[in-house]
Amino acid sequence: MISGVVEPVRLGKTALPDGRRLGWAEWGPEDGIPVLLCPGGATSRSMGFGGDIVGGLGVRLISVDRPGLGASDQAPDRTLGDWAQDIRRFLEARQLSGVAAVGFSAGAPFALACAAAGVVAGVAVVAGTDELANPVFADALAPDVRRLVELVATDPGRAEAFFAGFSAEAMWSFVIPTLADVDRAVYTAPVFERVYRRAMDEAFSQGPAGYARDTVLTMSPWPFDPGSIRAPVDLWYGARDTSTVHSPDFGASLAGRLRAAERRVLPEAGGSLLWTHAEAILRSLLGRTRGR
């Protein structure tokens, strides 16, 4: 069952102290428990999850566009650490506290960066991109991914220019053939495909620079030690996930580097488990961060 690909309840932009604005979308009650969504790569704030269950769980889901994607202003040379500080200021501006985070796919390093900076109270990493530049994966990466990681390490400017050659349509054409059957059935379901493709169009609405910078950051060494993260972290993976840019070992090595990790690999699920297992993901996150 696909859960929660529904229209946002609220949309807006929040100004940061430096004048840039971050675009956001929300689902659920305004007085609900705030949960930050760091969306997957090449998508925007409008691609939520669990929109049909967040109300019953008392969750206020807040999806934020990263700089240069969707409705958020550009920040060309941003880092993962910059993102954590952007979110700190975003939460302060909106007077939000006790926030947990969900990082899906390429959004995972951004959610973990927030945890490392002490900005969020806990994280659910869902089909998350691991630290692909970590030497532990040197022999485990698919050859094309290994070449890109090496290019980012040796010539990040050239790598960013390469990623800037992508468009929303190119991303759709690239992603769909690589999916396992269980995921392709989700992504090509009429309602899901419409929302997903719109989110990709929005992500590239300012051009490809935001996506290119995102991708360089996800393929670079993380500027934080996962072992320094004190907040609880849930790791969720589907055993049928065939993505070459998530985690070669379904989060096993990452779980060993985190202080308070719980790792689940669901045998029947694929990389789309954010939408097929939304309630379980949110209930676990709430339980570990709020004692519910």
Side-chain angles (χ1 to χ4, degrees), residues 147-166 211-213 215-216 219-220:
R147 286 192 291 271
L148 289 173
V149 169
E150 291 171 352
L151 180 61
V152 168
T154 59
D155 194 342
R158 184 178 162 208
E160 197 156 346
F162 170 79
F163 296 130
F166 280 84
Y211 164 74
R213 187 62 183 168
T215 309
V216 164
M219 291 192 171
S220 299

PDB file of all heavy atoms in Angstrom, residues 147-166 211-213 215-216 219-220:
ATOM      1  N   ARG A 147      33.576   5.409 -10.138  1.00  0.00           N
ATOM      2  CA  ARG A 147      34.233   6.415 -10.985  1.00  0.00           C
ATOM      3  C   ARG A 147      33.769   7.826 -10.629  1.00  0.00           C
ATOM      4  O   ARG A 147      34.575   8.768 -10.617  1.00  0.00           O
ATOM      5  CB  ARG A 147      33.950   6.109 -12.463  1.00  0.00           C
ATOM      6  CG  ARG A 147      34.740   4.917 -13.012  1.00  0.00           C
ATOM      7  CD  ARG A 147      34.648   4.840 -14.517  1.00  0.00           C
ATOM      8  NE  ARG A 147      33.303   4.475 -14.967  1.00  0.00           N
ATOM      9  CZ  ARG A 147      32.882   3.225 -15.139  1.00  0.00           C
ATOM     10  NH1 ARG A 147      33.707   2.207 -14.889  1.00  0.00           N
ATOM     11  NH2 ARG A 147      31.662   2.973 -15.554  1.00  0.00           N
ATOM     12  N   LEU A 148      32.482   7.983 -10.322  1.00  0.00           N
ATOM     13  CA  LEU A 148      31.969   9.305  -9.962  1.00  0.00           C
ATOM     14  C   LEU A 148      32.507   9.753  -8.605  1.00  0.00           C
ATOM     15  O   LEU A 148      32.863  10.921  -8.429  1.00  0.00           O
ATOM     16  CB  LEU A 148      30.440   9.291  -9.959  1.00  0.00           C
ATOM     17  CG  LEU A 148      29.789   9.192 -11.335  1.00  0.00           C
ATOM     18  CD1 LEU A 148      28.289   9.010 -11.208  1.00  0.00           C
ATOM     19  CD2 LEU A 148      30.109  10.431 -12.175  1.00  0.00           C
ATOM     20  N   VAL A 149      32.570   8.845  -7.653  1.00  0.00           N
ATOM     21  CA  VAL A 149      33.122   9.175  -6.341  1.00  0.00           C
ATOM     22  C   VAL A 149      34.585   9.596  -6.490  1.00  0.00           C
ATOM     23  O   VAL A 149      35.036  10.570  -5.855  1.00  0.00           O
ATOM     24  CB  VAL A 149      32.983   7.978  -5.373  1.00  0.00           C
ATOM     25  CG1 VAL A 149      33.793   8.209  -4.099  1.00  0.00           C
ATOM     26  CG2 VAL A 149      31.517   7.748  -5.033  1.00  0.00           C
ATOM     27  N   GLU A 150      35.329   8.896  -7.325  1.00  0.00           N
ATOM     28  CA  GLU A 150      36.732   9.253  -7.565  1.00  0.00           C
ATOM     29  C   GLU A 150      36.841  10.604  -8.259  1.00  0.00           C
ATOM     30  O   GLU A 150      37.739  11.403  -7.941  1.00  0.00           O
ATOM     31  CB  GLU A 150      37.404   8.163  -8.394  1.00  0.00           C
ATOM     32  CG  GLU A 150      37.586   6.852  -7.622  1.00  0.00           C
ATOM     33  CD  GLU A 150      38.062   5.708  -8.515  1.00  0.00           C
ATOM     34  OE1 GLU A 150      38.097   5.898  -9.763  1.00  0.00           O
ATOM     35  OE2 GLU A 150      38.391   4.630  -7.970  1.00  0.00           O
ATOM     36  N   LEU A 151      35.935  10.885  -9.182  1.00  0.00           N
ATOM     37  CA  LEU A 151      35.955  12.179  -9.868  1.00  0.00           C
ATOM     38  C   LEU A 151      35.660  13.314  -8.890  1.00  0.00           C
ATOM     39  O   LEU A 151      36.328  14.361  -8.934  1.00  0.00           O
ATOM     40  CB  LEU A 151      34.931  12.185 -11.005  1.00  0.00           C
ATOM     41  CG  LEU A 151      34.834  13.485 -11.821  1.00  0.00           C
ATOM     42  CD1 LEU A 151      36.170  13.790 -12.510  1.00  0.00           C
ATOM     43  CD2 LEU A 151      33.707  13.385 -12.849  1.00  0.00           C
ATOM     44  N   VAL A 152      34.693  13.105  -8.008  1.00  0.00           N
ATOM     45  CA  VAL A 152      34.386  14.116  -6.994  1.00  0.00           C
ATOM     46  C   VAL A 152      35.614  14.376  -6.126  1.00  0.00           C
ATOM     47  O   VAL A 152      35.912  15.517  -5.763  1.00  0.00           O
ATOM     48  CB  VAL A 152      33.180  13.668  -6.134  1.00  0.00           C
ATOM     49  CG1 VAL A 152      33.043  14.553  -4.900  1.00  0.00           C
ATOM     50  CG2 VAL A 152      31.891  13.704  -6.952  1.00  0.00           C
ATOM     51  N   ALA A 153      36.361  13.324  -5.798  1.00  0.00           N
ATOM     52  CA  ALA A 153      37.536  13.469  -4.943  1.00  0.00           C
ATOM     53  C   ALA A 153      38.676  14.188  -5.645  1.00  0.00           C
ATOM     54  O   ALA A 153      39.388  14.989  -5.028  1.00  0.00           O
ATOM     55  CB  ALA A 153      37.998  12.095  -4.463  1.00  0.00           C
ATOM     56  N   THR A 154      38.850  13.909  -6.919  1.00  0.00           N
ATOM     57  CA  THR A 154      40.010  14.457  -7.631  1.00  0.00           C
ATOM     58  C   THR A 154      39.724  15.765  -8.344  1.00  0.00           C
ATOM     59  O   THR A 154      40.616  16.599  -8.504  1.00  0.00           O
ATOM     60  CB  THR A 154      40.534  13.440  -8.666  1.00  0.00           C
ATOM     61  OG1 THR A 154      39.470  13.128  -9.594  1.00  0.00           O
ATOM     62  CG2 THR A 154      40.991  12.161  -7.969  1.00  0.00           C
ATOM     63  N   ASP A 155      38.487  15.967  -8.791  1.00  0.00           N
ATOM     64  CA  ASP A 155      38.144  17.174  -9.545  1.00  0.00           C
ATOM     65  C   ASP A 155      36.673  17.523  -9.287  1.00  0.00           C
ATOM     66  O   ASP A 155      35.811  17.318 -10.141  1.00  0.00           O
ATOM     67  CB  ASP A 155      38.383  16.941 -11.039  1.00  0.00           C
ATOM     68  CG  ASP A 155      38.383  18.234 -11.844  1.00  0.00           C
ATOM     69  OD1 ASP A 155      37.876  19.246 -11.323  1.00  0.00           O
ATOM     70  OD2 ASP A 155      38.859  18.218 -12.998  1.00  0.00           O
ATOM     71  N   PRO A 156      36.377  18.052  -8.091  1.00  0.00           N
ATOM     72  CA  PRO A 156      34.980  18.311  -7.740  1.00  0.00           C
ATOM     73  C   PRO A 156      34.279  19.287  -8.679  1.00  0.00           C
ATOM     74  O   PRO A 156      33.078  19.161  -8.926  1.00  0.00           O
ATOM     75  CB  PRO A 156      35.062  18.858  -6.310  1.00  0.00           C
ATOM     76  CG  PRO A 156      36.482  19.281  -6.121  1.00  0.00           C
ATOM     77  CD  PRO A 156      37.290  18.388  -6.996  1.00  0.00           C
ATOM     78  N   GLY A 157      35.027  20.252  -9.221  1.00  0.00           N
ATOM     79  CA  GLY A 157      34.417  21.190 -10.158  1.00  0.00           C
ATOM     80  C   GLY A 157      33.941  20.504 -11.426  1.00  0.00           C
ATOM     81  O   GLY A 157      32.838  20.768 -11.923  1.00  0.00           O
ATOM     82  N   ARG A 158      34.771  19.612 -11.936  1.00  0.00           N
ATOM     83  CA  ARG A 158      34.383  18.858 -13.128  1.00  0.00           C
ATOM     84  C   ARG A 158      33.216  17.931 -12.825  1.00  0.00           C
ATOM     85  O   ARG A 158      32.305  17.767 -13.645  1.00  0.00           O
ATOM     86  CB  ARG A 158      35.579  18.058 -13.634  1.00  0.00           C
ATOM     87  CG  ARG A 158      35.324  17.307 -14.931  1.00  0.00           C
ATOM     88  CD  ARG A 158      36.587  16.587 -15.368  1.00  0.00           C
ATOM     89  NE  ARG A 158      36.285  15.544 -16.336  1.00  0.00           N
ATOM     90  CZ  ARG A 158      37.010  14.454 -16.502  1.00  0.00           C
ATOM     91  NH1 ARG A 158      38.091  14.260 -15.762  1.00  0.00           N
ATOM     92  NH2 ARG A 158      36.695  13.556 -17.404  1.00  0.00           N
ATOM     93  N   ALA A 159      33.223  17.322 -11.646  1.00  0.00           N
ATOM     94  CA  ALA A 159      32.122  16.446 -11.255  1.00  0.00           C
ATOM     95  C   ALA A 159      30.821  17.229 -11.176  1.00  0.00           C
ATOM     96  O   ALA A 159      29.771  16.786 -11.664  1.00  0.00           O
ATOM     97  CB  ALA A 159      32.423  15.787  -9.921  1.00  0.00           C
ATOM     98  N   GLU A 160      30.886  18.418 -10.567  1.00  0.00           N
ATOM     99  CA  GLU A 160      29.674  19.234 -10.445  1.00  0.00           C
ATOM    100  C   GLU A 160      29.165  19.644 -11.817  1.00  0.00           C
ATOM    101  O   GLU A 160      27.949  19.664 -12.057  1.00  0.00           O
ATOM    102  CB  GLU A 160      29.965  20.455  -9.570  1.00  0.00           C
ATOM    103  CG  GLU A 160      28.726  21.132  -9.054  1.00  0.00           C
ATOM    104  CD  GLU A 160      28.979  21.939  -7.785  1.00  0.00           C
ATOM    105  OE1 GLU A 160      30.043  21.782  -7.150  1.00  0.00           O
ATOM    106  OE2 GLU A 160      28.084  22.723  -7.418  1.00  0.00           O
ATOM    107  N   ALA A 161      30.078  19.947 -12.724  1.00  0.00           N
ATOM    108  CA  ALA A 161      29.666  20.295 -14.091  1.00  0.00           C
ATOM    109  C   ALA A 161      29.004  19.107 -14.775  1.00  0.00           C
ATOM    110  O   ALA A 161      28.028  19.264 -15.528  1.00  0.00           O
ATOM    111  CB  ALA A 161      30.875  20.765 -14.886  1.00  0.00           C
ATOM    112  N   PHE A 162      29.500  17.902 -14.516  1.00  0.00           N
ATOM    113  CA  PHE A 162      28.880  16.698 -15.090  1.00  0.00           C
ATOM    114  C   PHE A 162      27.458  16.533 -14.570  1.00  0.00           C
ATOM    115  O   PHE A 162      26.518  16.301 -15.342  1.00  0.00           O
ATOM    116  CB  PHE A 162      29.714  15.467 -14.750  1.00  0.00           C
ATOM    117  CG  PHE A 162      29.042  14.168 -15.085  1.00  0.00           C
ATOM    118  CD1 PHE A 162      29.014  13.701 -16.398  1.00  0.00           C
ATOM    119  CD2 PHE A 162      28.410  13.413 -14.099  1.00  0.00           C
ATOM    120  CE1 PHE A 162      28.374  12.502 -16.719  1.00  0.00           C
ATOM    121  CE2 PHE A 162      27.773  12.214 -14.413  1.00  0.00           C
ATOM    122  CZ  PHE A 162      27.747  11.761 -15.728  1.00  0.00           C
ATOM    123  N   PHE A 163      27.277  16.656 -13.269  1.00  0.00           N
ATOM    124  CA  PHE A 163      25.941  16.482 -12.693  1.00  0.00           C
ATOM    125  C   PHE A 163      24.990  17.581 -13.166  1.00  0.00           C
ATOM    126  O   PHE A 163      23.778  17.364 -13.247  1.00  0.00           O
ATOM    127  CB  PHE A 163      26.015  16.464 -11.172  1.00  0.00           C
ATOM    128  CG  PHE A 163      26.787  15.302 -10.612  1.00  0.00           C
ATOM    129  CD1 PHE A 163      27.789  15.494  -9.669  1.00  0.00           C
ATOM    130  CD2 PHE A 163      26.521  14.009 -11.032  1.00  0.00           C
ATOM    131  CE1 PHE A 163      28.500  14.424  -9.155  1.00  0.00           C
ATOM    132  CE2 PHE A 163      27.232  12.922 -10.527  1.00  0.00           C
ATOM    133  CZ  PHE A 163      28.225  13.131  -9.581  1.00  0.00           C
ATOM    134  N   ALA A 164      25.543  18.737 -13.497  1.00  0.00           N
ATOM    135  CA  ALA A 164      24.712  19.833 -13.989  1.00  0.00           C
ATOM    136  C   ALA A 164      24.157  19.562 -15.387  1.00  0.00           C
ATOM    137  O   ALA A 164      23.322  20.314 -15.885  1.00  0.00           O
ATOM    138  CB  ALA A 164      25.499  21.142 -13.982  1.00  0.00           C
ATOM    139  N   GLY A 165      24.604  18.483 -15.997  1.00  0.00           N
ATOM    140  CA  GLY A 165      24.070  18.114 -17.311  1.00  0.00           C
ATOM    141  C   GLY A 165      22.742  17.385 -17.238  1.00  0.00           C
ATOM    142  O   GLY A 165      22.137  17.086 -18.272  1.00  0.00           O
ATOM    143  N   PHE A 166      22.275  17.085 -16.021  1.00  0.00           N
ATOM    144  CA  PHE A 166      21.014  16.371 -15.863  1.00  0.00           C
ATOM    145  C   PHE A 166      19.833  17.327 -15.841  1.00  0.00           C
ATOM    146  O   PHE A 166      19.973  18.510 -15.514  1.00  0.00           O
ATOM    147  CB  PHE A 166      21.022  15.536 -14.578  1.00  0.00           C
ATOM    148  CG  PHE A 166      21.759  14.230 -14.691  1.00  0.00           C
ATOM    149  CD1 PHE A 166      23.136  14.177 -14.520  1.00  0.00           C
ATOM    150  CD2 PHE A 166      21.079  13.064 -14.996  1.00  0.00           C
ATOM    151  CE1 PHE A 166      23.819  12.985 -14.632  1.00  0.00           C
ATOM    152  CE2 PHE A 166      21.761  11.857 -15.111  1.00  0.00           C
ATOM    153  CZ  PHE A 166      23.128  11.818 -14.931  1.00  0.00           C
ATOM    154  N   TYR A 211      20.789  20.570  -7.815  1.00  0.00           N
ATOM    155  CA  TYR A 211      20.945  19.116  -7.861  1.00  0.00           C
ATOM    156  C   TYR A 211      22.425  18.741  -7.962  1.00  0.00           C
ATOM    157  O   TYR A 211      22.895  17.818  -7.282  1.00  0.00           O
ATOM    158  CB  TYR A 211      20.187  18.530  -9.051  1.00  0.00           C
ATOM    159  CG  TYR A 211      20.620  17.121  -9.374  1.00  0.00           C
ATOM    160  CD1 TYR A 211      20.246  16.058  -8.563  1.00  0.00           C
ATOM    161  CD2 TYR A 211      21.454  16.860 -10.468  1.00  0.00           C
ATOM    162  CE1 TYR A 211      20.687  14.764  -8.832  1.00  0.00           C
ATOM    163  CE2 TYR A 211      21.885  15.584 -10.745  1.00  0.00           C
ATOM    164  CZ  TYR A 211      21.503  14.533  -9.928  1.00  0.00           C
ATOM    165  OH  TYR A 211      21.951  13.269 -10.194  1.00  0.00           O
ATOM    166  N   ALA A 212      23.173  19.455  -8.789  1.00  0.00           N
ATOM    167  CA  ALA A 212      24.588  19.135  -8.974  1.00  0.00           C
ATOM    168  C   ALA A 212      25.358  19.288  -7.668  1.00  0.00           C
ATOM    169  O   ALA A 212      26.180  18.433  -7.309  1.00  0.00           O
ATOM    170  CB  ALA A 212      25.187  20.038 -10.054  1.00  0.00           C
ATOM    171  N   ARG A 213      25.087  20.372  -6.941  1.00  0.00           N
ATOM    172  CA  ARG A 213      25.785  20.570  -5.670  1.00  0.00           C
ATOM    173  C   ARG A 213      25.403  19.492  -4.667  1.00  0.00           C
ATOM    174  O   ARG A 213      26.267  18.941  -3.961  1.00  0.00           O
ATOM    175  CB  ARG A 213      25.467  21.953  -5.099  1.00  0.00           C
ATOM    176  CG  ARG A 213      26.278  22.305  -3.858  1.00  0.00           C
ATOM    177  CD  ARG A 213      27.759  22.344  -4.187  1.00  0.00           C
ATOM    178  NE  ARG A 213      28.583  22.603  -3.023  1.00  0.00           N
ATOM    179  CZ  ARG A 213      29.905  22.468  -3.003  1.00  0.00           C
ATOM    180  NH1 ARG A 213      30.543  22.073  -4.083  1.00  0.00           N
ATOM    181  NH2 ARG A 213      30.582  22.734  -1.913  1.00  0.00           N
ATOM    182  N   THR A 215      24.571  16.465  -5.237  1.00  0.00           N
ATOM    183  CA  THR A 215      25.158  15.184  -5.589  1.00  0.00           C
ATOM    184  C   THR A 215      26.645  15.138  -5.272  1.00  0.00           C
ATOM    185  O   THR A 215      27.167  14.110  -4.817  1.00  0.00           O
ATOM    186  CB  THR A 215      24.895  14.865  -7.067  1.00  0.00           C
ATOM    187  OG1 THR A 215      23.498  15.029  -7.341  1.00  0.00           O
ATOM    188  CG2 THR A 215      25.292  13.433  -7.400  1.00  0.00           C
ATOM    189  N   VAL A 216      27.333  16.245  -5.481  1.00  0.00           N
ATOM    190  CA  VAL A 216      28.738  16.313  -5.082  1.00  0.00           C
ATOM    191  C   VAL A 216      28.872  16.096  -3.577  1.00  0.00           C
ATOM    192  O   VAL A 216      29.755  15.355  -3.110  1.00  0.00           O
ATOM    193  CB  VAL A 216      29.355  17.669  -5.495  1.00  0.00           C
ATOM    194  CG1 VAL A 216      30.679  17.915  -4.761  1.00  0.00           C
ATOM    195  CG2 VAL A 216      29.589  17.703  -6.999  1.00  0.00           C
ATOM    196  N   MET A 219      28.459  12.470  -2.523  1.00  0.00           N
ATOM    197  CA  MET A 219      29.541  11.589  -2.952  1.00  0.00           C
ATOM    198  C   MET A 219      30.900  11.981  -2.373  1.00  0.00           C
ATOM    199  O   MET A 219      31.920  11.391  -2.706  1.00  0.00           O
ATOM    200  CB  MET A 219      29.615  11.540  -4.476  1.00  0.00           C
ATOM    201  CG  MET A 219      28.434  10.825  -5.090  1.00  0.00           C
ATOM    202  SD  MET A 219      28.668  10.449  -6.844  1.00  0.00           S
ATOM    203  CE  MET A 219      27.229   9.402  -7.144  1.00  0.00           C
ATOM    204  N   SER A 220      30.893  12.972  -1.486  1.00  0.00           N
ATOM    205  CA  SER A 220      32.119  13.420  -0.819  1.00  0.00           C
ATOM    206  C   SER A 220      32.200  12.820   0.582  1.00  0.00           C
ATOM    207  O   SER A 220      31.193  12.372   1.140  1.00  0.00           O
ATOM    208  CB  SER A 220      32.111  14.954  -0.695  1.00  0.00           C
ATOM    209  OG  SER A 220      32.067  15.577  -1.946  1.00  0.00           O
TER     210      SER A 220
END
